[in-house]
Amino acid sequence: MTTPHEPQAVALRVADIRYAYGKTVAVDGVSFDVRPGEIFGLLGPNGAGKTTTISIVSGILPPASGQALIYGQDASGGSGRARARMGVVPQEIALYEELTAAENLRFWGRLYGLSGAGLEEAARRTLDLVGLTDRAKARVKTFSGGLKRRLNLAAGLVHAPDLLLLDEPTVGIDPQARLRILDVVRDQARNGRAVLYTSHYLEEAEQICGRLAIIDRGRVLAAGTVAELRRLVGEGPVVRVRGSIDGDGLKALAGRCPGVSFLSADGDSASFSARDPDACSGLVRELFGSGLKLDDLRVQEPNLQSVFLKLTGRELRD
C-alpha cells in the first residue's frame, strides 16, 4: 500500500537544494514535497529565493547540491522526460507581443511536441479555460496586464502538464483577473495536477494553498497547512501597535502579562500574541497604562502575517 511519503505518491520532491549567485546564497537547503492534486505554496518576500527554487525545479538552473525530482526523474537531467511533464508560468510575461493569443499558444504547444489537429484543439481548449476565446485573434500588444497574465498561464497549460510551476502568477493585476487565475489554478488541482505556487500575497496563499512553506533568505522557516502554521503563534489573538516603539520596553511589558508573547518590533510597529481573550485584555490594559505614545492598536486573529512576524521578526511586505 502506498503512503503519501513514498516516491510514487509524490509529483515533486525537492531535497536539500542549494544555489548561490557568487557569494550571495539564494537557496540554502530547501526541501519539500508536492503531491498530485495539491496546491503547495512557497510564501515569502521578494528576494526570498522563490524564483531561484522554481528555476532549479524547472531545470533552468542546476543546483549546487541537492536534487529536484519530477515523478522520480531528475529535473536537471538531460533526457527531457521530467521537463515534458511540467508546465512553467514565469513571473515575467513569456509572450510575443506581435503574435495573437492563439499564435502564442501554438508556438508554445509546438515546443512541447504538439502538432496538427491536436495542437489546434489544445490552443482552443486552453483559451477557453482562461476565458480568452473571444480574444484568440487579438495581438498580445493590445492586451491589458490582466489579460496577459491569463494568457501567460494558458501558455504553461497548453500541453496539459502533470506538474504546474507558477511563479507569482497574479502580481500586478486587477482583482477580477486575479480571481479568474485563482479559479483556473484550483481547477487544475481538482483535476489531479500538482501545483507549486509562489507568492508574497498572504491572503492569496491562505485562500488557495492546501500546504505551504514560508521561505526567507533562501531557507524554509516552517511548512505545513495554514492551520498548522497558525498554531506556531497560538490560537489566541494577535495585538499590533504603532507609534513611538521601544522594543526592549515592550518586550519587558509582555513579560509582565501572563499568557502574552512578544513577537517583534519593526520600525514604528510591534506585535504580540495572546494565549486567549483574557490575556489579550490584560495586555491592552498594560499598554494603555504604560504611558507609551501609541498611534494605533489592533487586535486580530492569528494569520500567516503573524507567523511570518514570529519567524523573522518583521512583516512580509510587498
Side-chain angles (χ1 to χ4, degrees):
M1 179 177 176
T2 300
T3 69
H5 300 289
E6 291 176 351
Q8 54 264 52
V10 175
L12 168 64
R13 171 155 289 159
V14 175
D16 198 29
I17 58 172
R18 300 172 188 271
Y19 192 88
Y21 298 96
K23 294 183 179 180
T24 302
V25 178
V27 177
D28 190 7
V30 167
S31 299
F32 58 85
D33 289 347
V34 185
R35 304 159 190 160
E38 140 174 271
I39 302 172
F40 185 93
L42 277 183
L43 177 65
N46 292 329
K50 304 187 302 296
T51 296
T52 301
T53 299
I54 288 279
S55 297
I56 291 171
V57 171
S58 63
I60 295 173
L61 294 176
S65 62
Q67 193 176 40
L69 298 175
I70 312 295
Y71 289 94
Q73 297 287 329
D74 191 340
S76 62
S79 69
R81 284 180 292 177
R83 297 183 189 184
R85 298 191 70 172
M86 62 180 149
V88 183
V89 181
Q91 185 172 346
E92 300 297 325
I93 299 294
L95 302 171
Y96 291 95
E97 296 273 326
E98 294 299 324
L99 298 182
T100 67
E103 287 168 345
N104 267 280
L105 293 187
R106 292 187 194 108
F107 171 82
W108 289 109
R110 289 189 190 98
L111 290 183
Y112 283 109
L114 301 178
S115 62
L119 174 61
E120 292 301 315
E121 173 56 29
R124 285 194 296 269
R125 169 184 52 78
T126 314
L127 284 169
D128 181 63
L129 184 67
V130 298
L132 292 177
T133 299
D134 60 337
R135 304 298 298 270
K137 296 181 179 180
R139 295 187 187 278
V140 170
K141 66 181 180 181
T142 68
F143 283 17
S144 67
L147 293 181
K148 288 179 181 178
R149 284 286 171 194
R150 284 156 62 182
L151 186 60
N152 205 45
L153 174 60
L157 289 170
V158 67
H159 60 302
D162 296 317
L163 170 66
L164 190 57
L165 309 178
L166 303 177
D167 190 11
E168 301 273 7
T170 65
V171 67
I173 60 175
D174 61 272
Q176 184 177 0
R178 176 174 292 173
L179 289 174
R180 183 62 184 251
I181 287 174
L182 295 183
D183 283 344
V184 172
V185 174
R186 289 188 186 97
D187 284 341
Q188 298 309 301
R190 280 193 286 266
N191 289 332
R193 290 192 175 96
V195 180
L196 176 60
Y197 193 99
T198 82
S199 181
H200 63 271
Y201 295 128
L202 291 157
E203 183 179 351
E204 186 174 286
E206 286 186 296
Q207 289 177 353
I208 198 170
C209 298
R211 292 187 303 130
L212 53 88
I214 293 177
I215 184 171
D216 191 37
R217 296 185 173 98
R219 287 181 170 272
V220 172
L221 304 181
T225 66
V226 172
E228 288 168 345
L229 291 175
R230 282 176 178 165
R231 284 197 286 274
L232 291 176
V233 291
E235 301 292 341
V238 172
V239 177
R240 299 179 63 194
V241 297
R242 292 187 182 276
S244 299
I245 299 301
D246 171 10
D248 290 337
L250 290 177
K251 193 170 184 178
L253 183 148
R256 299 194 296 270
C257 300
V260 172
S261 298
F262 179 74
L263 292 180
S264 71
D266 182 18
D268 64 348
S269 66
S271 298
F272 308 81
S273 65
R275 181 180 57 207
D276 50 40
D278 288 340
C280 180
S281 297
L283 171 64
V284 171
R285 285 194 300 270
E286 190 75 24
L287 285 167
F288 282 127
S290 66
L292 292 170
K293 183 180 178 182
L294 300 179
D295 299 324
D296 185 53
L297 186 151
R298 298 186 183 186
V299 178
Q300 61 188 44
E301 292 303 308
N303 57 20
L304 292 181
Q305 182 71 273
S306 313
V307 177
F308 193 82
L309 274 165
K310 179 171 183 178
L311 293 173
T312 68
R314 57 194 174 90
E315 292 188 27
L316 195 162
R317 302 181 189 274
D318 292 357

